[in-house]
Amino acid sequence: MKEAAFLGTGNMGGALARAACRSIGPDQVILSNRTRAKAEALAGELGCTAARDNREAAQSARYLFLGVKPHLMRGLLEEIAPVLSPGQVLVSMAAGLTLETLAGWVPDGTAVLRIMPNTPCAIGKGLVALCAAPGPAEEHGPAVEKILCAAGRVERVEERLFDAFSAVAGCSPAFIYLFLEALADGGVLAGLPRKQAVAFAAQAMAGSAALVLESGEHPGALKDAVCSPGGSTIEGVAALERHGFRGAVIDAVEAAWSKSASLGKQ
């Protein structure tokens, strides 16, 4: 039996499958997808195995990573339930679906964990939230962390905070790309060639984020350090404030958090 199966190889499932192949080796990974050709193409790229269907994948690995949309999860679990065996572990990456809900859709005693990854996991720079229900399922946390370690940071997060995590870390790459694109547009307006404007904006964002993580300084203090009295930076900050930049970002996180919470109630 292989160590990990990824049922669903879309953006997130595919990103984590790539990480797993780096972490535990492609010989320990099997893939399945609703469109079999998609799983076969990714398996060919990574050197792992593609299953004929979800049931074959579910029978072939100990840890089953479920990478389907929330509204498709129950159908997937009903499909694979007849072939599950004792000792197998389900790992859901569906937003909004609680451990309690998931446990109600699988055979009694099946260990269930939840993860919430973000897209930078595809290049090993991501963040993955992980939780398990109190009890036997918790003992599988270290194995899941090992499988996903090449995705980036794997952090234990209380389930009650999963929707907040999703809004701040899962959805925010889209917000960040919007900001990056806008920075680049500003650079083009100021005369930079488009390719350079994008590269400069991306490097500035990556370096700024790294400085927060490595220095431990509050972002506000790091912002203040860039803002010389009467200088160009504080002029730009004032322009952002006049247009409600911080309020817009907070509203975006709140909207994403609210939507994520609602997904489990549909």
Side-chain angles (χ1 to χ4, degrees):
M1 193 173 248
K2 295 182 183 295
E3 188 70 2
F6 291 84
L7 285 66
T9 56
N11 290 337
M12 291 315 322
L16 295 186
R18 291 176 188 278
C21 285
R22 296 194 298 270
S23 300
I24 59 175
D27 60 312
Q28 291 297 315
V29 176
I30 185 167
L31 312 177
S32 68
N33 196 73
R34 184 167 51 181
T35 303
R36 185 180 175 189
K38 188 171 184 178
E40 290 176 337
L42 184 59
E45 176 189 338
L46 299 178
C48 58
T49 303
R52 291 190 301 271
D53 53 34
N54 290 328
R55 285 197 175 197
E56 181 182 3
Q59 293 179 87
S60 303
R62 185 178 185 196
Y63 290 90
L64 309 181
F65 291 82
L66 311 177
V68 299
K69 301 293 186 184
H71 70 280
L72 298 175
M73 182 63 74
R74 186 168 189 171
L76 173 61
L77 293 175
E78 290 174 348
E79 178 186 358
I80 67 173
V83 301
L84 295 178
S85 58
Q88 286 185 292
V89 180
L90 304 181
V91 185
S92 167
M93 58 186 86
L97 295 181
T98 65
L99 291 168
E100 181 179 10
T101 296
L102 294 164
W105 294 343
V106 297
D108 289 343
T110 304
V112 182
L113 294 87
R114 285 182 68 190
I115 59 172
M116 181 56 61
N118 64 7
T119 53
C121 289
I123 60 167
K125 301 290 187 180
L127 185 60
V128 183
L130 168 66
C131 74
E138 290 182 305
E139 69 185 46
H140 297 288
V144 173
E145 290 175 357
K146 179 181 178 181
I147 293 168
L148 299 180
C149 66
R153 293 175 57 177
V154 181
E155 295 283 339
R156 300 295 184 98
V157 177
E158 294 179 46
E159 185 176 30
R160 66 182 181 85
L161 298 176
F162 251 53
D163 295 324
F165 174 91
S166 177
V168 172
C171 302
S172 66
F175 311 155
I176 292 166
Y177 298 141
L178 282 174
F179 181 45
L180 194 158
E181 184 182 29
L183 281 176
D185 284 345
V188 172
L189 180 64
L192 287 173
R194 170 68 60 180
K195 187 174 182 179
Q196 282 189 315
V198 171
F200 294 164
Q203 183 60 49
M205 292 180 74
S208 300
L211 186 56
V212 171
L213 293 174
E214 294 180 20
S215 71
E217 291 283 341
H218 190 282
L222 294 173
K223 178 264 295 178
D224 289 348
V226 188
C227 295
S228 301
S232 56
T233 302
I234 193 63
E235 192 74 27
V237 168
L240 288 173
E241 295 288 15
R242 284 194 296 271
H243 288 278
F245 176 73
R246 285 194 287 186
V249 173
I250 291 169
D251 285 350
V253 173
E254 184 179 31
W257 165 65
S258 179
K259 179 62 176 181
S260 180
S262 74
L263 292 174
K265 302 173 184 177
Q266 296 177 356

